[in-house]
């Protein structure tokens, strides 16, 4: 970054960190340009973003992992281009993260406490995994229950990013019968701004994009009514799916290996939940834009939606019943027939009674006495 | 409850109850009708075997001589509406999947664009029928709350289905849920209102045709 | 003993069967039946909509024979049928309905509304809500043997005239004859040419026939007023006579509802099939014609048209026979619009012509027949029902139309080739 017309980077800033890592101004600007586009911001914002990030103090981030599978961490670290996602780790100070931190045990908890004290009111809290309310013993860290740790750490946070469907909506632990009593971050924390970044796991660039927004503007991106950033979760998979023309034409795969499947036709009949799932999979895709489930031949399972695991069988089309069966209908038919037999008996007895009550009509009986 | 939760409920226990009430209700109503029996006709029939109502079951669909000119709106809006409804229910691909899920049976679908057009026509026809029902002195006299409720219950699935498909007004998942709820309402109302004519018209036409055929008249 | 509301409601309960339950279940309130009914089309009054005439019966069905209706009744939510309502409905069920059957042909869901009106009349009559004039006619029919009070001596007098005119003996009480001939009071009083024409035709065809002294009346007021007990009483006289005289076939005369009563309702009223056939005179003449036994010569050059009596054509199945017969003698036969099974009622059947209260409505309804006739341009109208004949003569006079009305039997007889002239 030794260009005479550029200001020197202040110590403790992101810019300093980039310079130390040998990231060129050009590479950095490229990153910011890409981010700007991802966030659907005007191109002129790229340089604004670059300046803001360069001047920014590296943001303190505390990452709490509760009942999770570590898939969200795996996802965020999947970067093909060393400069993109890794760059994010140079813009923040990741003060606490079970998987990525070097420290362990008491030292790790101490680092968390210190970060909370030094950055009170300003640190970003990222949470993945659900919180068990059934019994605190289901998931503890250093003997502290998830609930206690969340409440304690949320207190001094500037904002919370719930990452992954478990943290945002309860996820797979919450699936019926929810043995641990799993709940989401939003079910517990009510007094802090929460950005929900669901997905099982979320797409890497979606996670980093949200962070970049926060770093650039110091504020939360526009959220939908489920707390998800509209820039990434504003459209359904169905509305951005490249196989949509086949849906519209009525060309569907019937099995996973039939000719239609090989031709890449729509997977609606194989249970694709694309129409009711909001995420960026069809545009941003996975593995740096390589593919996404539908492109690989499997229907969307709706993993960024609340209670997706209990939203009906994965391989039954959306228009199919979740649980109704012909057995059930047969039972209803039997019940109807039983009621029918009862009403038959009733109707017949009314009719028979009327027949018995019939009095032979004579011509005198055509007149009313009381008229 | 999120929209997806509502959708899962609509596809799940709500649908189960609606279907069970529908099936039980239809069967109950059939027993209600047939339980009353029909006395054997001891007069010599002109046709052997005596009476066949099957012909009338089909031919009664056509307007008798002179009637189309007298009531074109009733007949034409009736045909357009029923055709659109029938096509939408039985030949839209996602609906065929529903039947497959319930019975295991399936058949080829018609192009969605064609059904889309038929549904628009059906809704226009329903509006025409409402206007006609309110404007015609005979229909107005015959009509009660039940007729207007049945009209709304019939319009809603068409309208919400159309809106869902075209992403109109409400968010898609919610719109789809409303569509399924509206169908469930229709299912529950059908056996116990004039909508039951969907089943009983076959019985009525048969009895009618049978009575007339014994006299040697095709009705 | 007298009529009571309870007897009427009981009769409603008795008559409701599976077809009626199906019909009420199927009605979608489309009102198309109104467009088939001449009482609506010629007056524009919505209350004459056929299905509307059945409202009290429908409510009894709902309250007695459906689960929801029964629940509603138990909870006190249903509107029970009252005398006041039946009084209001009396003119709808009797004055504005001839049981013509057009509504039954037209209903898109297949309702046989005519069938239901016939059954509803059972309750109307049992509760004392039948028209005065019809009660009087029925009383005469049961007590005297004819709704118009015609007794055997009156017929005897006519027989004498006919014999004198034709020179042919009219057989009476001839056991073992092939055919038992019946007549309607209207024919006996107004149209003696029927009997004389019949005599000559049967002579030429070599048909053996007879009248019965105690069963010459074919009409059945019980059918029209809707009191099956009385209808049974009336029709049984014919059945007893036919069995006594051991005839092969009973001929129903030029009368509409008599054919319905004898041919279609009779066996059901009696509770057992007949041991003899029943044919309408048109069917017999058609058979004779087909067998070459009906020889005519010469053609009638007058423009002629034919009115299909409802109970004979649409509700009885005798549609082509009159046309085949007319083909033999009519040089200028013109079908009126809607001829055949959809022909329009004369407006006087089903007891309406006997009901003086219904006269002005009947004459209003006649406008449709008037238009049909005008469309043909014919000056002569042929028919095969004496009641239609008198009703149409009255209507034609009311509208100052110069159209003559004749019976088909009498027309054929005019052109009969007889061995001895």
């Amino acid at each position: 970054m030794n260009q005479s017309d550029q200001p020197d980077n202040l110590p403790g800033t992101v810019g300093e960190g980039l310079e130390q890592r040998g990231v060129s101004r050009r590479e950095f600007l490229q990153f910011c340009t890409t981010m700007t586009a991802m966030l659907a911001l005007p191109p002129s914002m790229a340089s604004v973003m670059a300046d803001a990030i360069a001047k920014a103090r590296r943001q303190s981030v505390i990452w709490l992992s509760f009942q999770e599978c570590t898939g969200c961490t795996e996802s965020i670290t999947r970067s093909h281009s060393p400069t993109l996602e890794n760059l994010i780790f140079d813009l923040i100070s990741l003060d606490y993260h079970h998987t990525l931190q070097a420290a362990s045990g008491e030292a790790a908890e101490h680092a968390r406490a210190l970060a909370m004290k030094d950055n009170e009111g300003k640190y970003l809290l990222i949470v993945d995994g659900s919180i068990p309310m059934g019994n605190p013993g289901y998931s503890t860290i250093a003997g502290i229950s998830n609930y206690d740790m969340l409440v304690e750490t949320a207190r001094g946070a500037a904002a919370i990013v719930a990452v992954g469907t478990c943290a945002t909506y309860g996820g797979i632990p919450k699936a019926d019968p929810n043995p641990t009593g799993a709940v989401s971050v939003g079910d517990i924390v009510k007094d802090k701004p929460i950005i929900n970044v669901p997905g099982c796991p979320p797409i890497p660039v979606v996670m980093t994009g949200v962070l970049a927004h926060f770093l650039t503007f110091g504020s939360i991106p526009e959220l939908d009514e489920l707390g998800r950033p509209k820039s990434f979760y504003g459209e359904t998979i169905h509305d951005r799916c490249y196989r949509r023309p086949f849906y519209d034409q009525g060309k569907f795969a019937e099995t996973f290996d039939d000719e239609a499947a090989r031709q890449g036709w729509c997977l609606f009949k194989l249970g694709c939940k694309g129409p009711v799932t909001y995420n960026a999979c069809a545009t941003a895709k996975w593995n740096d834009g390589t593919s996404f489930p539908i492109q690989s031949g499997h229907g969307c399972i709706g993993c960024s939606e609340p209670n997706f695991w209990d939203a009906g069988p994965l391989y039954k089309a959306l228009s199919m019943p979740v649980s109704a069966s012909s057995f059930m209908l047969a039972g209803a038919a039997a019940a109807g027939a039983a009621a029918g037999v009862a009403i038959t008996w009733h109707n017949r007895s009314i009719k028979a009674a009327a027949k018995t009550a019939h009095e032979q009509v004579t011509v005198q009986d055509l007149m009313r006495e009381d008229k | 409850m999120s929209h997806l939760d509502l959708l899962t409920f609509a596809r799940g226990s709500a649908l189960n109850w609606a279907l069970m009430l529908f099936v039980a209700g239809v069967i109950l109503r059939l027993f209600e009708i047939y339980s009353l029996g029909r006395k054997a006709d001891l007069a010599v029939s002109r046709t052997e075997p005596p009476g066949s109502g099957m012909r009338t079951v089909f031919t009664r669909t056509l307007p008798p001589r002179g009637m189309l000119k007298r009531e074109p709106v009733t007949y034409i809006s009736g045909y357009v509406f029923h055709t659109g409804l029938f096509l939408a229910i039985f030949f839209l691909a996602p609906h065929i999947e529903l039947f497959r899920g319930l019975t295991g049976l399936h058949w080829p679908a018609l192009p969605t664009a064609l059904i889309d057009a038929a549904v628009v026509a059906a809704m226009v026809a329903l509006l025409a029928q409402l206007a006609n029902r309110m404007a015609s002195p005979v229909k107005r006299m015959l009509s009660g709350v039940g007729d207007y409720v049945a009209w709304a219950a019939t319009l809603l699935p068409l309208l919400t289905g159309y809106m869902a498909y075209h992403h109109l007004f409400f968010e898609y998942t919610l719109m789809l849920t409303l569509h399924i709820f509206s169908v469930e309402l229709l299912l529950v109302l059908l056996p116990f209102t004039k909508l039951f004519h969907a089943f009983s018209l076959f019985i009525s036409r048969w009895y009618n045709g049978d009575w007339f055929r014994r006299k040697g008249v095709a009705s | 003993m007298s009529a009571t509301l309870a007897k009427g409601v009981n009769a409603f309960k008795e008559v409701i069967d599976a077809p009626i339950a199906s019909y009420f279940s199927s009605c979608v309130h489309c009102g198309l039946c109104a467009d088939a009914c001449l009482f609506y089309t010629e007056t524009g009054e919505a209350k004459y909509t056929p299905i509307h005439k059945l409202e009290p019966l429908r409510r009894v069905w709902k309250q007695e024979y459906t689960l929801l209706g029964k629940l509603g009744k138990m909870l006190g939510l249903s509107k029970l049928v009252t005398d006041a309502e039946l009084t209001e409905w009396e003119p709808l069920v009797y004055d504005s309905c001839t049981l013509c059957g057009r509504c039954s042909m037209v209903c898109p869901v297949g309702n046989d509304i005519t069938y239901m009106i016939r059954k509803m009349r059972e309750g109307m009559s049992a509760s004392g809500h039948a028209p005065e004039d019809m009660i009087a006619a029925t009383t005469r029919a049961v007590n005297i043997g004819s709704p118009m009070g015609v007794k055997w001596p009156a017929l005897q007098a006519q027989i004498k005239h006919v014999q004198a005119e034709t020179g042919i003996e009219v057989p009476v009480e001839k056991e073992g004859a092939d055919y038992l001939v019946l007549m309607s009071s209207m024919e006996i009083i107004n149209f003696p040419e029927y009997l004389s024409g019949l005599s000559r035709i049967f002579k030429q065809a070599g048909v053996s026939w007879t009248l019965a002294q105690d069963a010459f009346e074919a009409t059945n007021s019980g059918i029209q007023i809707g009191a099956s007990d009385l209808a049974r009483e009336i029709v049984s006289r014919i059945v007893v006579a036919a069995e006594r005289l051991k005839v092969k076939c009973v001929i129903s005369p030029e009368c509409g509802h008599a054919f319905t009563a004898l041919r279609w309702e009779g066996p059901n009223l009696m509770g057992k099939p007949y041991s003899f056939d029943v044919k309408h005179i048109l069917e017999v003449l058609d058979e004779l014609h087909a067998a070459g036994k009906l020889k005519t010569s010469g053609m009638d050059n007058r423009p002629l048209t034919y009115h299909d009596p409802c109970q004979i054509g649409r509700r009885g199945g005798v549609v082509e026979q009159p046309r085949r017969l007319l083909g033999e003698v009519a040089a200028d036969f013109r079908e009126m619009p809607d001829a055949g099974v959809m022909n329009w009622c004369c407006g006087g059947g089903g007891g309406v012509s006997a009901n003086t209260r219904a006269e002005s409505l009947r004459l209003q309804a006649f406008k449709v027949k008037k238009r049909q006739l005008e469309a043909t341009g014919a000056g002569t109208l042929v028919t095969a029902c004496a009641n239609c004949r008198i009703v149409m003569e009255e209507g034609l006079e009311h509208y100052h139309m110069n159209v003559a009305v004749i019976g088909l039997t009498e027309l054929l007889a005019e052109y009969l080739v007889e061995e001895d002239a």
Side-chain angles (χ1 to χ4, degrees):
Chain A
M1 300 256 306
N2 291 319
Q3 286 165 350
S4 50
D5 55 345
Q6 292 298 327
D8 283 340
N9 288 305
L10 294 168
T13 61
V14 175
E16 182 203 22
L18 288 171
E19 194 180 336
Q20 284 169 348
R21 280 201 73 220
V23 175
S24 72
R25 173 84 180 160
R26 196 165 155 269
E27 281 169 329
F28 178 49
L29 271 171
Q30 221 169 32
F31 165 75
C32 291
T33 307
T34 309
M35 251 327 127
T36 309
M38 282 287 177
L39 291 166
L41 295 167
S44 54
M45 284 304 298
S47 51
V48 173
M49 181 187 279
D51 274 343
I53 291 177
K55 287 200 185 102
R57 262 189 70 79
R58 287 172 69 209
Q59 169 70 49
S60 169
V61 174
I62 296 174
W63 184 305
L64 297 180
S65 294
F66 295 140
Q67 290 194 133
E68 39 77 57
C69 68
T70 314
C72 296
T73 296
E74 293 286 345
S75 182
I76 203 171
T77 59
R78 284 304 178 270
S79 60
H80 279 85
S81 109
T83 49
L84 279 169
E85 275 76 38
N86 280 358
L87 220 51
I88 283 291
F89 290 103
D90 297 309
L91 303 180
I92 61 174
S93 175
L94 190 59
D95 296 327
Y96 182 85
H97 188 299
H98 293 163
T99 313
L100 299 173
Q101 67 199 1
S104 62
E106 289 297 341
E109 292 310 306
H110 179 72
R112 178 170 66 87
L114 196 63
M116 282 165 69
K117 181 159 160 279
D118 284 349
N119 298 285
E120 174 145 7
K122 293 200 238 99
Y123 59 84
L124 193 63
L125 173 58
I126 301 182
V127 182
D128 68 338
S130 61
I131 300 97
M133 297 303 284
N135 186 317
Y138 284 130
S139 176
T140 62
I141 298 149
I144 306 167
S145 75
N146 290 169
Y147 175 84
D148 287 337
M149 186 173 279
L150 175 62
V151 167
E152 174 191 88
T153 314
R155 206 171 285 133
I160 304 175
V161 182
V163 148
T165 307
C166 293
T168 55
Y169 307 124
I172 289 178
K174 195 187 176 201
D176 190 47
N178 194 356
T180 65
V183 299
S184 68
V185 171
D187 286 333
I188 293 167
V189 179
K190 302 288 184 193
D191 60 350
K192 293 282 175 184
I194 302 176
I195 306 170
N196 284 333
V197 184
C200 190
I203 295 171
V205 76
V206 170
M207 291 186 274
T208 55
V210 170
L211 289 175
H213 186 288
F214 185 81
L215 292 170
T216 305
F217 300 104
S219 65
I220 324 222
E222 204 184 335
L223 304 176
D224 68 10
E225 57 312 328
L226 284 176
R228 304 175 291 199
K230 282 187 179 169
S231 47
F232 293 110
Y233 297 90
E235 298 286 342
T236 59
I237 307 296
H238 186 61
D239 285 346
R240 291 275 184 258
C241 183
Y242 78 105
R243 295 195 183 191
R244 182 63 177 276
F246 294 112
Y247 172 88
D248 289 332
Q249 287 168 42
K251 290 184 165 146
F252 302 101
E254 304 274 343
T255 73
F256 280 113
D257 201 31
D258 65 7
E259 187 53 37
R262 287 167 205 252
Q263 292 290 334
W265 288 2
C266 176
L267 301 169
F268 179 86
K269 289 192 182 182
L270 289 164
C272 180
K273 293 235 169 30
V276 296
T277 306
Y278 290 83
N279 207 339
C281 311
T283 45
K285 299 195 187 176
W286 295 82
N287 294 315
D288 202 30
T290 300
S291 182
F292 71 113
I294 290 160
Q295 191 170 335
S296 303
H298 189 288
C300 167
I301 63 171
C303 73
S304 55
E305 296 295 321
N307 300 319
F308 75 93
W309 196 258
D310 290 329
L314 293 180
Y315 300 108
K316 275 198 180 173
L318 271 173
S319 58
M320 278 191 166
V322 164
S323 51
S325 63
S326 40
F327 179 76
M328 187 184 284
L329 297 183
V341 167
I343 203 119
T344 298
W345 177 85
H346 168 82
N347 281 0
R348 289 230 156 112
S349 65
I350 299 258
K351 209 153 181 221
K355 193 163 173 213
T356 311
H358 179 96
E359 288 171 60
Q360 183 87 352
V361 176
T362 65
V363 289
Q364 286 94 330
D365 298 321
L366 296 175
M367 301 289 287
R368 284 289 278 264
E369 262 163 19
D370 54 3
K371 260 192 176 168
Chain B
M1 257 192 143
S2 71
H3 293 173
L4 184 62
D5 289 328
L6 269 174
L7 177 66
T8 307
F9 169 65
R11 293 172 65 206
S13 51
L15 182 62
N16 295 352
W17 279 105
L19 283 171
M20 288 197 289
L21 283 170
F22 171 74
V23 168
V26 167
I27 292 186
L28 168 68
R29 294 284 281 112
L30 291 173
F31 269 88
E32 265 181 12
I33 290 173
Y34 281 114
S35 63
L36 292 166
R38 181 179 68 145
K39 282 216 196 92
D41 187 1
L42 301 171
V44 175
S45 167
R46 285 196 200 278
T47 53
E48 285 302 326
S52 166
M54 280 311 287
R55 187 183 177 278
T56 304
V57 166
F58 294 100
T59 58
R60 193 50 75 98
T61 307
L62 301 166
R65 211 195 320 168
M67 287 296 288
L68 184 59
K69 217 196 307 203
R70 283 179 186 269
E71 291 285 340
V73 176
T74 307
Y75 280 106
I76 293 174
S77 66
Y79 292 137
V80 170
F81 154 66
H82 281 99
T83 304
L85 185 70
F86 184 76
L87 285 179
I89 294 175
F90 292 105
F91 290 97
L92 188 67
H95 294 166
I96 296 175
E97 289 307 295
L98 169 65
F99 289 116
R100 194 206 294 238
L102 287 172
T103 65
L105 300 168
H106 66 107
W107 50 89
L110 281 174
T112 306
L114 176 71
I115 293 178
D116 200 46
V119 164
V120 171
M123 291 195 286
V124 169
L126 271 177
L127 284 170
Q129 288 184 321
L130 181 68
N132 191 228
R133 183 169 287 286
M134 299 196 316
S136 143
V138 168
K139 289 185 174 74
R140 207 168 46 228
M141 179 208 63
L142 290 172
S143 304
V145 169
D147 295 283
Y148 297 107
V149 167
W151 180 87
T154 308
L155 178 72
L156 279 175
L158 290 169
L159 183 64
T160 53
Y162 184 81
M163 285 168 72
Y165 179 75
H166 288 283
H167 284 44
L168 298 176
F169 210 62
F170 288 121
E171 182 273 318
Y172 178 78
T173 308
L174 180 62
M175 201 68 239
L176 182 62
T177 306
L178 290 176
H179 173 64
I180 298 175
F181 279 154
S182 71
V183 173
E184 286 158 3
L185 176 66
L186 187 67
L187 282 173
V188 165
L189 287 178
L190 191 144
F192 306 106
T193 59
K194 75 175 199 186
L195 295 173
F196 189 64
H197 77 272
F199 290 90
S200 64
L201 82 94
F202 298 102
I203 307 174
S204 295
R205 287 181 179 185
W206 195 95
Y207 278 133
N208 187 307
D210 184 78
W211 191 97
F212 274 99
R213 286 284 285 164
R214 288 165 175 272
K215 279 73 181 171
V217 172
S219 69
Chain C
M1 284 249 277
S2 91
T4 64
L5 177 64
K7 283 191 193 175
V9 174
N10 194 66
F12 284 157
K13 286 193 225 176
E14 271 185 275
V15 300
I16 292 170
D17 57 5
I20 291 180
S22 178
Y23 298 149
F24 281 135
S25 299
S26 306
C27 175
V28 292
H29 297 152
C30 73
L32 284 172
C33 52
D35 284 280
C37 176
L38 75 171
F39 292 98
Y40 168 73
T41 61
E42 302 314 305
T43 64
E45 292 201 53
K47 66 181 179 182
Y48 295 136
T49 302
I51 196 71
H52 180 63
K53 297 166 183 168
L54 293 160
E55 180 58 19
L57 184 67
R58 186 193 69 81
R59 286 220 310 285
V60 171
W61 161 74
K62 187 109 206 194
Q63 289 157 15
E64 298 299 323
Y65 293 121
T66 69
L67 177 65
L68 284 189
K70 199 84 217 196
L71 284 172
K73 194 173 169 205
M74 285 199 300
L75 294 169
L77 293 172
S78 38
K79 195 171 152 222
L80 297 176
V81 169
T82 62
D83 261 325
E85 190 180 0
L86 294 183
T87 301
E88 196 191 328
W89 250 256
E90 186 189 308
L92 299 182
V93 176
Y94 286 103
D95 299 23
S96 73
C97 180
T98 54
L99 300 172
C100 85
R102 286 189 107 248
C103 52
S104 302
M105 299 291 281
V106 147
C107 172
V109 294
N111 289 351
D112 188 348
I113 298 169
T114 316
Y115 176 91
M116 292 198 275
I117 302 255
R118 167 67 184 90
K119 298 270 171 124
M120 183 170 173
R121 288 184 178 186
E122 296 286 330
M124 298 295 282
S125 58
S127 59
H129 288 285
E132 245 174 29
D133 292 329
M134 289 177 72
I135 294 175
T138 307
T139 307
R140 284 191 295 269
V142 171
N143 292 343
I144 300 171
S146 139
M148 296 175 81
V150 174
K151 292 185 180 156
W152 177 248
L155 182 52
Q156 262 188 319
Q158 209 206 75
I159 290 169
K160 267 211 183 100
H161 279 286
V162 164
Q163 282 178 160
E165 187 199 314
T166 61
I168 304 167
E169 193 209 329
V170 172
V172 175
E173 295 289 326
K174 281 260 153 51
E175 195 180 303
D178 284 342
Y179 295 100
L180 171 62
V181 166
L182 305 174
M183 301 192 58
S184 69
S185 289
M186 194 66 76
E187 278 163 335
I188 297 169
I189 293 175
N190 289 314
F191 308 118
E193 49 272 28
Y194 173 71
L195 190 56
S196 61
L198 207 62
S199 296
R200 290 164 55 216
I201 292 170
F202 282 172
K203 170 109 196 292
Q204 193 217 62
V207 165
S208 80
W209 61 289
T210 183
L211 291 174
Q213 196 168 319
D214 59 351
F216 57 82
E217 178 66 57
T219 65
N220 195 318
S221 301
I223 297 288
Q224 295 179 325
I225 205 170
S228 287
D229 290 337
L230 298 173
R232 182 180 310 114
E233 159 73 42
I234 295 168
V235 84
S236 67
R237 294 166 186 167
I238 301 169
V239 175
V240 163
E243 285 169 351
R244 187 185 78 238
L245 293 171
K246 299 186 179 56
V247 296
K248 293 205 183 74
C249 175
V250 176
I251 303 182
S252 194
E254 285 192 356
C255 173
H257 81 277
F259 186 55
T260 293
L262 186 60
R263 174 68 174 88
W264 304 114
E265 288 212 26
N268 295 308
L269 290 166
M270 300 299 293
K272 59 179 168 67
Y274 294 153
S275 56
F276 49 86
D277 292 335
V278 173
K279 292 191 177 134
H280 191 269
I281 181 61
L282 289 176
E283 293 180 276
V284 173
L285 294 174
D286 186 54
E287 280 170 13
L288 293 177
H289 173 242
K293 291 185 181 168
L294 188 66
K295 293 188 198 50
T296 62
S297 99
M299 298 289 260
D300 196 313
N301 290 308
R302 294 175 289 180
L304 295 178
T305 187
Y306 177 73
H307 160 78
D308 294 277
C310 304
Q311 302 304 318
I312 297 172
R314 177 168 41 256
R315 300 292 274 183
V318 181
V319 181
E320 292 309 315
Q321 291 89 333
R323 286 160 172 88
R324 284 194 285 265
L325 293 165
L326 279 167
E328 276 302 302
V329 295
D332 187 0
F333 174 68
R334 305 161 183 199
E335 290 278 18
M336 56 177 76
D338 297 328
V341 295
M342 287 303 283
N343 211 328
W344 291 86
C345 182
C346 68
V352 173
S353 62
N355 181 354
T356 49
R357 181 181 65 197
E359 190 182 329
S360 66
L361 179 59
R362 169 167 58 87
L363 289 170
Q364 251 193 300
F366 187 76
K367 286 187 285 178
V368 63
K369 188 57 64 182
K370 172 175 179 292
R371 283 198 305 277
Q372 283 184 295
L373 286 171
E374 281 163 357
T376 65
T380 310
L381 172 60
V382 185
T383 191
C385 165
N387 189 48
C388 292
R389 224 171 134 170
I390 203 89
V391 164
M392 291 195 290
E393 277 175 5
E394 281 178 28
L396 291 163
E397 201 196 298
H398 179 81
Y399 288 101
H400 309 296
M401 288 175 75
N402 195 10
V403 177
V405 188
I406 55 174
L408 184 43
T409 308
E410 134 202 12
L411 176 65
L412 286 170
E414 257 182 73
Y415 291 89
L416 209 58
V417 171
E418 281 158 293
E419 265 76 53
D420 42 272

